[in-house]
Coordinates of all heavy atoms in Angstrom, one line a residue:
I2 N 70.8 17.1 43.9 CA 69.6 17.3 44.8 C 70.2 18.0 46.1 O 71.3 17.8 46.5 CB 68.9 16.0 45.1 CG1 67.7 16.2 45.9 CG2 69.8 15.0 45.8 CD1 66.7 15.0 45.8
V3 N 69.4 18.7 46.7 CA 69.8 19.5 47.9 C 70.2 18.6 49.0 O 71.0 19.0 49.9 CB 68.6 20.4 48.3 CG1 67.5 19.7 49.0 CG2 69.1 21.5 49.3
Y4 N 69.8 17.4 49.1 CA 70.1 16.5 50.2 C 71.6 16.1 50.1 O 72.1 15.5 51.1 CB 69.3 15.2 50.2 CG 67.8 15.4 50.5 CD1 66.9 14.4 50.1 CD2 67.4 16.5 51.2 CE1 65.5 14.6 50.4 CE2 66.0 16.7 51.5 CZ 65.1 15.7 51.0 OH 63.8 15.9 51.3
E5 N 72.2 16.4 49.0 CA 73.7 16.1 48.8 C 74.6 17.1 49.6 O 75.8 16.8 49.7 CB 74.0 16.0 47.4 CG 73.3 14.8 46.6 CD 73.6 13.5 47.3 OE1 74.7 13.2 47.6 OE2 72.6 12.7 47.4
L6 N 74.1 18.2 50.0 CA 74.8 19.2 50.7 C 75.3 18.6 52.1 O 74.6 17.9 52.7 CB 74.0 20.4 51.0 CG 73.6 21.2 49.7 CD1 72.7 22.4 50.1 CD2 74.8 21.7 48.9
D7 N 76.5 19.0 52.5 CA 77.1 18.4 53.7 C 76.2 18.6 54.9 O 76.1 17.7 55.7 CB 78.5 19.0 54.0 CG 79.5 18.5 53.0 OD1 79.3 17.5 52.4 OD2 80.6 19.2 52.9
L8 N 75.6 19.8 55.0 CA 74.7 20.1 56.2 C 73.6 19.1 56.3 O 73.3 18.5 57.3 CB 74.2 21.5 56.2 CG 73.2 21.8 57.3 CD1 73.8 21.7 58.7 CD2 72.6 23.3 57.1
F9 N 72.9 18.8 55.1 CA 71.8 17.9 55.1 C 72.3 16.5 55.4 O 71.6 15.7 56.0 CB 71.0 18.0 53.8 CG 70.2 19.3 53.7 CD1 70.7 20.3 52.9 CD2 69.0 19.4 54.4 CE1 69.9 21.5 52.9 CE2 68.3 20.6 54.3 CZ 68.8 21.6 53.6
K10 N 73.5 16.1 55.0 CA 74.0 14.8 55.2 C 74.2 14.7 56.7 O 74.0 13.6 57.3 CB 75.3 14.6 54.4 CG 75.1 14.4 53.0 CD 76.5 14.2 52.3 CE 76.4 14.0 50.8 NZ 77.7 13.9 50.2
R11 N 74.8 15.7 57.4 CA 74.9 15.7 58.8 C 73.6 15.6 59.6 O 73.5 14.8 60.5 CB 75.7 16.9 59.3 CG 77.2 16.9 58.9 CD 77.9 18.2 59.2 NE 77.7 18.6 60.6 CZ 77.6 19.9 61.0 NH1 77.7 20.9 60.1 NH2 77.3 20.2 62.3
I12 N 72.6 16.4 59.1 CA 71.3 16.3 59.7 C 70.7 14.9 59.5 O 70.2 14.3 60.5 CB 70.4 17.4 59.1 CG1 70.9 18.8 59.6 CG2 68.9 17.2 59.6 CD1 70.2 19.9 58.9
E13 N 70.8 14.4 58.4 CA 70.1 13.1 58.1 C 70.8 12.0 58.9 O 70.2 11.1 59.4 CB 70.2 12.7 56.6 CG 69.5 11.4 56.3 CD 69.4 11.2 54.7 OE1 70.4 11.7 54.0 OE2 68.4 10.6 54.3
A14 N 72.1 12.1 59.1 CA 72.9 11.1 59.8 C 72.4 11.0 61.3 O 72.5 10.0 62.0 CB 74.4 11.4 59.8
T15 N 71.9 12.1 61.9 CA 71.5 12.1 63.2 C 70.2 11.3 63.4 O 69.9 10.9 64.6 CB 71.2 13.5 63.8 OG1 70.0 14.1 63.1 CG2 72.3 14.5 63.6
G16 N 69.4 11.1 62.4 CA 68.1 10.4 62.5 C 67.0 11.3 63.1 O 65.9 10.8 63.3
G17 N 67.3 12.6 63.4 CA 66.4 13.5 64.0 C 65.3 14.0 63.1 O 64.2 14.3 63.5
I18 N 65.5 13.9 61.8 CA 64.5 14.4 60.8 C 64.5 13.3 59.6 O 65.6 13.2 59.0 CB 64.8 15.8 60.2 CG1 64.8 16.8 61.3 CG2 63.9 16.2 59.1 CD1 65.3 18.2 60.8
P19 N 63.4 12.8 59.3 CA 63.4 11.9 58.2 C 63.3 12.7 56.9 O 62.7 13.8 56.8 CB 62.1 11.1 58.4 CG 61.2 12.0 59.2 CD 62.2 12.8 60.0
F20 N 64.0 12.3 55.9 CA 64.1 12.9 54.6 C 63.2 12.1 53.6 O 63.5 10.9 53.4 CB 65.5 13.0 54.1 CG 66.3 14.1 54.7 CD1 66.8 14.0 56.0 CD2 66.5 15.3 54.1 CE1 67.5 14.9 56.6 CE2 67.2 16.3 54.7 CZ 67.7 16.2 56.0
A21 N 62.2 12.7 53.0 CA 61.4 12.1 52.0 C 62.0 12.3 50.6 O 62.4 13.4 50.3 CB 60.0 12.7 52.1
R22 N 62.0 11.2 49.9 CA 62.6 11.3 48.5 C 61.5 11.1 47.5 O 61.8 11.3 46.3 CB 63.8 10.3 48.4 CG 65.0 10.8 49.2 CD 66.1 9.8 49.1 NE 67.3 10.3 49.7 CZ 67.5 10.5 51.0 NH1 66.6 10.3 51.9 NH2 68.7 11.1 51.4
T23 N 60.3 10.7 47.9 CA 59.2 10.5 47.0 C 58.0 11.1 47.7 O 57.9 11.4 48.9 CB 58.9 9.0 46.7 OG1 58.5 8.4 47.9 CG2 60.1 8.4 46.1
E24 N 56.9 11.4 46.9 CA 55.7 11.9 47.4 C 55.0 10.9 48.4 O 54.6 11.3 49.5 CB 54.7 12.2 46.3 CG 55.0 13.4 45.5 CD 54.0 13.7 44.5 OE1 52.8 13.4 44.7 OE2 54.4 14.2 43.4
S25 N 55.1 9.6 48.2 CA 54.6 8.7 49.1 C 55.3 8.6 50.4 O 54.7 8.4 51.5 CB 54.5 7.2 48.5 OG 55.8 6.7 48.1
E26 N 56.7 8.8 50.3 CA 57.4 8.8 51.5 C 57.0 10.1 52.4 O 57.0 10.0 53.6 CB 59.0 8.9 51.3 CG 59.6 7.6 50.9 CD 61.0 7.7 50.6 OE1 61.6 8.8 50.8 OE2 61.7 6.6 50.2
L27 N 56.9 11.2 51.7 CA 56.5 12.4 52.4 C 55.1 12.2 53.1 O 55.0 12.6 54.2 CB 56.4 13.6 51.4 CG 55.9 14.9 52.0 CD1 56.8 15.4 53.1 CD2 55.8 15.9 50.9
A28 N 54.2 11.6 52.3 CA 52.8 11.4 52.9 C 52.9 10.5 54.2 O 52.3 10.8 55.2 CB 51.9 10.8 51.9
S29 N 53.7 9.4 54.1 CA 54.0 8.5 55.2 C 54.6 9.2 56.4 O 54.1 9.0 57.5 CB 54.8 7.3 54.7 OG 55.1 6.5 55.8
I30 N 55.6 10.0 56.2 CA 56.2 10.8 57.3 C 55.3 11.7 57.9 O 55.2 11.8 59.1 CB 57.5 11.5 56.7 CG1 58.6 10.4 56.4 CG2 58.0 12.4 57.7 CD1 59.7 11.0 55.5
L31 N 54.5 12.5 57.1 CA 53.6 13.4 57.6 C 52.5 12.7 58.5 O 52.2 13.2 59.6 CB 52.9 14.2 56.5 CG 53.8 15.2 55.8 CD1 53.1 15.8 54.6 CD2 54.3 16.3 56.7
M32 N 52.0 11.6 58.0 CA 51.0 10.9 58.8 C 51.6 10.4 60.1 O 50.9 10.4 61.1 CB 50.4 9.7 58.0 CG 49.5 10.2 56.8 SD 48.2 11.3 57.3 CE 47.3 10.3 58.4
R33 N 52.8 9.9 60.0 CA 53.4 9.4 61.3 C 53.5 10.5 62.3 O 53.2 10.3 63.5 CB 54.8 8.9 60.9 CG 55.5 8.3 62.1 CD 56.8 7.6 61.7 NE 57.6 7.2 62.8 CZ 58.8 7.8 63.1 NH1 59.4 8.7 62.3 NH2 59.5 7.5 64.2
Y34 N 53.9 11.7 61.9 CA 54.1 12.8 62.9 C 52.8 13.4 63.3 O 52.6 13.9 64.4 CB 55.0 13.9 62.3 CG 56.5 13.5 62.4 CD1 57.2 13.0 61.4 CD2 57.1 13.6 63.6 CE1 58.5 12.6 61.5 CE2 58.4 13.2 63.8 CZ 59.1 12.7 62.7 OH 60.4 12.3 62.9
L35 N 51.8 13.4 62.3 CA 50.4 13.8 62.8 C 49.8 12.9 63.8 O 49.1 13.4 64.7 CB 49.5 13.9 61.5 CG 49.9 15.1 60.6 CD1 49.0 15.0 59.3 CD2 49.6 16.4 61.3
K36 N 50.1 11.6 63.7 CA 49.6 10.7 64.7 C 50.3 10.7 66.0 O 49.8 10.4 67.1 CB 49.7 9.3 64.1 CG 48.7 9.0 63.0 CD 48.8 7.6 62.5 CE 47.9 7.3 61.3 NZ 48.1 6.0 60.7
N37 N 51.6 11.1 65.9 CA 52.5 11.1 67.2 C 53.5 12.2 67.1 O 54.6 12.0 66.5 CB 53.1 9.8 67.4 CG 54.0 9.7 68.6 OD1 54.0 10.6 69.4 ND2 54.8 8.7 68.8
R38 N 53.2 13.4 67.5 CA 54.1 14.5 67.4 C 55.4 14.3 68.2 O 56.3 15.0 68.0 CB 53.3 15.8 67.8 CG 53.0 15.8 69.3 CD 52.2 17.0 69.7 NE 52.9 18.2 69.2 CZ 52.3 19.4 69.1 NH1 51.0 19.6 69.4 NH2 52.9 20.4 68.6
N39 N 55.4 13.3 69.1 CA 56.6 13.1 69.8 C 57.5 12.0 69.2 O 58.6 11.6 69.8 CB 56.3 12.7 71.3 CG 55.7 13.8 72.1 OD1 56.2 14.9 72.0 ND2 54.7 13.6 72.8
A40 N 57.2 11.5 68.0 CA 58.0 10.6 67.3 C 59.4 11.2 67.1 O 59.5 12.3 66.7 CB 57.3 10.2 66.0
D41 N 60.3 10.4 67.4 CA 61.8 10.8 67.3 C 62.2 12.0 68.0 O 63.1 12.7 67.7 CB 62.1 11.1 65.7 CG 61.8 9.8 64.9 OD1 62.1 8.7 65.4 OD2 61.4 10.0 63.8
K42 N 61.4 12.4 69.0 CA 61.7 13.6 69.9 C 63.1 13.6 70.4 O 63.8 14.6 70.3 CB 60.7 13.7 71.0 CG 60.9 14.9 71.9 CD 59.9 15.0 73.0 CE 60.2 16.2 73.8 NZ 59.2 16.3 74.9
E43 N 63.6 12.5 71.0 CA 64.9 12.4 71.5 C 66.0 12.6 70.4 O 66.9 13.3 70.7 CB 65.2 11.1 72.2 CG 64.3 10.9 73.5 CD 62.9 10.4 73.2 OE1 62.7 9.9 72.0 OE2 62.0 10.5 74.0
K44 N 65.7 12.0 69.3 CA 66.7 12.2 68.2 C 66.7 13.6 67.7 O 67.8 14.2 67.3 CB 66.3 11.3 67.0 CG 66.6 9.8 67.3 CD 66.2 8.9 66.1 CE 66.4 7.5 66.4 NZ 66.0 6.7 65.2
R45 N 65.5 14.3 67.6 CA 65.5 15.7 67.2 C 66.3 16.6 68.2 O 67.0 17.5 67.9 CB 64.1 16.2 67.0 CG 63.4 15.6 65.8 CD 62.1 16.4 65.5 NE 61.2 16.5 66.6 CZ 60.3 15.6 67.0 NH1 60.2 14.5 66.3 NH2 59.5 15.9 68.0
E46 N 66.1 16.3 69.5 CA 66.7 17.1 70.5 C 68.2 16.9 70.4 O 69.0 17.9 70.6 CB 66.2 16.7 71.9 CG 64.8 17.2 72.2 CD 64.2 16.6 73.5 OE1 64.7 15.7 74.0 OE2 63.2 17.1 73.8
Q47 N 68.7 15.6 70.2 CA 70.1 15.4 70.1 C 70.6 16.0 68.8 O 71.7 16.6 68.8 CB 70.3 13.9 70.0 CG 71.8 13.5 70.0 CD 72.5 14.0 71.3 OE1 72.0 13.8 72.4 NE2 73.7 14.7 71.2
M48 N 69.9 16.0 67.8 CA 70.3 16.7 66.5 C 70.5 18.2 66.7 O 71.5 18.7 66.3 CB 69.2 16.5 65.4 CG 69.5 17.2 64.1 SD 68.1 17.4 63.0 CE 67.0 18.4 64.0
I49 N 69.6 18.8 67.4 CA 69.8 20.2 67.8 C 71.1 20.5 68.5 O 71.9 21.4 68.2 CB 68.6 20.8 68.6 CG1 67.3 20.8 67.6 CG2 68.9 22.2 69.1 CD1 66.0 21.0 68.4
T50 N 71.4 19.6 69.5 CA 72.6 19.8 70.2 C 73.9 19.5 69.4 O 74.8 20.2 69.4 CB 72.6 18.8 71.4 OG1 71.5 19.0 72.2 CG2 73.9 18.8 72.2
D51 N 73.8 18.5 68.5 CA 74.9 18.2 67.6 C 75.2 19.2 66.5 O 76.3 19.5 66.2 CB 74.7 16.8 67.0 CG 74.7 15.7 68.1 OD1 75.1 15.9 69.2 OD2 74.3 14.6 67.7
I52 N 74.1 19.7 65.9 CA 74.2 20.5 64.7 C 74.5 22.0 65.1 O 75.3 22.7 64.4 CB 73.0 20.4 63.8 CG1 72.9 18.9 63.3 CG2 73.1 21.4 62.6 CD1 74.0 18.4 62.5
N53 N 73.8 22.5 66.1 CA 73.9 23.9 66.4 C 75.1 24.2 67.4 O 75.4 23.4 68.2 CB 72.6 24.4 67.1 CG 71.5 24.4 66.2 OD1 71.6 24.7 65.0 ND2 70.3 24.0 66.6
F54 N 75.6 25.4 67.2 CA 76.7 25.8 68.2 C 76.1 26.0 69.6 O 76.6 25.4 70.5 CB 77.3 27.2 67.6 CG 78.2 27.8 68.6 CD1 79.4 27.2 69.0 CD2 77.8 29.0 69.3 CE1 80.2 27.8 69.9 CE2 78.7 29.6 70.2 CZ 79.9 29.0 70.5
K55 N 75.0 26.7 69.6 CA 74.3 26.9 70.9 C 72.8 26.9 70.5 O 72.4 27.6 69.6 CB 74.7 28.2 71.6 CG 76.1 28.1 72.2 CD 76.3 29.4 73.0 CE 77.7 29.3 73.6 NZ 77.9 30.5 74.4
A56 N 72.0 26.4 71.4 CA 70.5 26.4 71.2 C 69.9 27.3 72.3 O 69.0 26.9 73.0 CB 69.9 25.1 71.2
D57 N 70.4 28.6 72.3 CA 70.0 29.4 73.4 C 69.1 30.6 72.9 O 68.7 31.5 73.7 CB 71.2 30.0 74.2 CG 72.1 30.8 73.3 OD1 71.8 31.0 72.1 OD2 73.1 31.2 73.8
G58 N 68.8 30.6 71.6 CA 68.0 31.7 71.1 C 68.7 33.0 70.9 O 68.0 34.1 70.7
K59 N 70.0 33.0 71.0 CA 70.7 34.3 70.9 C 71.7 34.3 69.6 O 72.5 35.1 69.6 CB 71.6 34.5 72.1 CG 70.7 34.7 73.4 CD 71.5 35.0 74.6 CE 70.6 35.2 75.8 NZ 71.4 35.6 76.9
A60 N 71.3 33.5 68.6 CA 72.2 33.5 67.4 C 72.1 34.9 66.8 O 73.2 35.4 66.3 CB 71.6 32.5 66.5
G61 N 71.0 35.6 66.7 CA 71.0 36.9 66.0 C 71.8 37.9 66.8 O 72.5 38.7 66.2
E62 N 71.8 37.8 68.1 CA 72.6 38.7 68.9 C 74.1 38.5 68.6 O 74.9 39.4 68.5 CB 72.3 38.5 70.4 CG 73.0 39.4 71.3 CD 72.7 39.2 72.7 OE1 71.5 38.7 73.0 OE2 73.5 39.4 73.6
R63 N 74.5 37.2 68.5 CA 75.9 36.9 68.2 C 76.3 37.4 66.9 O 77.4 37.9 66.7 CB 76.1 35.4 68.4 CG 76.2 34.9 69.8 CD 76.7 33.5 69.9 NE 75.8 32.5 69.4 CZ 74.8 32.1 70.2 NH1 74.7 32.5 71.5 NH2 74.0 31.2 69.7
I64 N 75.4 37.2 65.9 CA 75.8 37.7 64.6 C 75.9 39.2 64.5 O 76.9 39.7 63.9 CB 74.6 37.3 63.6 CG1 74.7 35.8 63.4 CG2 74.8 38.0 62.2 CD1 73.5 35.2 62.6
V65 N 75.0 40.0 65.2 CA 75.1 41.4 65.2 C 76.4 41.8 65.9 O 77.1 42.7 65.4 CB 73.9 42.0 65.9 CG1 74.1 43.5 66.2 CG2 72.6 41.8 65.1
N66 N 76.7 41.2 67.0 CA 78.0 41.5 67.7 C 79.2 41.2 66.9 O 80.1 42.0 66.9 CB 78.1 40.8 69.1 CG 77.1 41.3 70.1 OD1 76.6 42.5 70.0 ND2 76.7 40.4 71.0
L67 N 79.2 40.2 66.1 CA 80.3 39.8 65.2 C 80.4 40.9 64.1 O 81.5 41.4 63.9 CB 80.1 38.5 64.6 CG 81.2 38.0 63.6 CD1 82.5 37.8 64.3 CD2 80.7 36.7 62.9
I68 N 79.3 41.3 63.5 CA 79.4 42.3 62.5 C 79.8 43.6 63.0 O 80.8 44.2 62.5 CB 78.0 42.5 61.8 CG1 77.6 41.2 61.0 CG2 77.9 43.7 60.9 CD1 76.2 41.1 60.6
L69 N 79.3 44.0 64.2 CA 79.7 45.3 64.8 C 81.2 45.3 65.2 O 81.9 46.3 65.1 CB 78.9 45.6 66.0 CG 77.4 46.0 65.8 CD1 76.6 46.1 67.1 CD2 77.3 47.2 64.9
S70 N 81.7 44.1 65.6 CA 83.1 44.0 66.0 C 84.1 44.3 64.8 O 85.2 44.7 65.0 CB 83.4 42.7 66.6 OG 83.5 41.7 65.7
H71 N 83.6 44.1 63.6 CA 84.3 44.2 62.4 C 84.1 45.6 61.7 O 84.9 46.1 61.0 CB 84.0 43.1 61.4 CG 84.6 41.8 61.8 ND1 84.0 41.0 62.6 CD2 85.8 41.3 61.4 CE1 84.8 39.9 62.7 NE2 85.9 40.0 62.0
V72 N 83.1 46.3 62.2 CA 82.7 47.6 61.6 C 83.2 48.7 62.5 O 83.7 49.7 62.0 CB 81.2 47.7 61.4 CG1 80.8 49.1 61.0 CG2 80.7 46.7 60.4
I73 N 83.1 48.5 63.7 CA 83.5 49.6 64.7 C 84.9 49.4 65.1 O 85.5 48.5 65.3 CB 82.5 49.5 66.0 CG1 81.1 49.7 65.5 CG2 82.9 50.5 67.0 CD1 80.1 49.6 66.6

């Protein structure tokens, strides 16, 4: 299952995103977030900080610059 990938294990460990393993779990998670869109907000923010190199919206620019540095 895809949840066994290291990245998903790291994400799940943060508690920032709940992982549904059954349809009923998915329905429960969706209802929880529909009722309260701020549920786990702090955990999601921390997850972004922990998982991403930078959360500045410039990932594409860094990738292009990396590619160009190897081509030019």
Side-chain angles (χ1 to χ4, degrees):
I2 190 162
V3 72
Y4 294 157
E5 297 301 318
L6 297 174
D7 288 340
L8 175 60
F9 287 102
K10 287 179 182 179
R11 288 177 46 216
I12 291 170
E13 187 173 30
T15 69
I18 298 175
F20 284 75
R22 288 175 171 75
T23 66
E24 287 184 32
S25 62
E26 284 181 5
L27 177 60
S29 176
I30 291 167
L31 289 174
M32 290 306 298
R33 181 171 171 247
Y34 281 100
L35 287 172
K36 289 179 183 176
N37 179 10
R38 66 184 309 162
N39 290 317
D41 301 322
K42 181 179 179 180
E43 295 82 17
K44 289 180 181 179
R45 288 194 311 273
E46 290 171 348
Q47 186 62 49
M48 177 194 64
I49 290 168
T50 301
D51 292 348
I52 300 296
N53 293 320
F54 170 68
K55 289 186 180 181
D57 60 2
K59 296 185 178 185
E62 183 179 331
R63 282 191 290 277
I64 291 169
V65 168
N66 288 335
L67 178 66
I68 292 168
L69 289 176
S70 73
H71 286 83
V72 174
I73 299 176

